[in-house]
C-alpha cells in the first residue's frame, strides 16, 4: 500500500484520544511502535518496521509492507463514524 505522508497524518489526526495505546494493546505491541508508524520519532521504545518513508510532494510517500496498524486505525475511525 502506498499513500502520502500527509494522508497518513490526517488519519492519525482524526483518531480519538487514546487510540495509539488502544491499537498497541489490540496488537500486543508497544505504543511507541504505533506512534512511529504514524510518523513519530520514539525510537527508544519502538521501531518503524513495515513502513518506509520517501521524500517527495505532499509530505512524501509512505510505503507499507504490513498494513495491520493502519487497518486497526481505520476500524477505529469507521466505528467513530457509526456512533
Amino acid at each position: 500500500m502506498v499513500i502520502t505522508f500527509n494522508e497518513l497524518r490526517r488519519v492519525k489526526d482524526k483518531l480519538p484520544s487514546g487510540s495509539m495505546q488502544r491499537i498497541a494493546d489490540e496488537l500486543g505491541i508497544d505504543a511507541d511502535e504505533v506512534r512511529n508508524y504514524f510518523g513519530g520519532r520514539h525510537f527508544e521504545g519502538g521501531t518503524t518496521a513495515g513502513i518506509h518513508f520517501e521524500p517527495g510532494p505532499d509530505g512524501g510517500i509512505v510505503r507499507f509492507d504490513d498494513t495491520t496498524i493502519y487497518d486497526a486505525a481505520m476500524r477505529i475511525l469507521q466505528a467513530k463514524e457509526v456512533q
Side-chain angles (χ1 to χ4, degrees):
M1 178 176 166
V2 177
I3 64 174
T4 68
F5 180 75
N6 288 343
E7 288 174 304
L8 180 64
R9 292 302 286 187
R10 281 191 287 276
V11 169
K12 183 220 172 261
D13 291 343
K14 290 179 185 177
L15 290 168
S17 179
S19 293
M20 298 297 122
Q21 188 63 54
R22 178 176 166 189
I23 293 169
D25 292 345
E26 177 184 326
L27 302 177
I29 59 177
D30 189 88
D32 281 340
E33 186 171 347
V34 178
R35 289 182 189 96
N36 291 345
Y37 194 87
F38 287 100
R41 299 285 183 242
H42 305 275
F43 295 111
E44 292 146 11
T47 64
T48 56
I51 187 168
H52 309 279
F53 299 96
E54 299 175 21
D58 203 21
I61 300 296
V62 180
R63 295 183 189 274
F64 298 100
D65 295 336
D66 181 350
T67 61
T68 304
I69 293 173
Y70 182 85
D71 295 339
M74 295 309 291
R75 283 192 302 275
I76 291 170
L77 289 177
Q78 289 170 350
K80 183 180 168 188
E81 288 177 8
V82 172
Q83 293 177 354

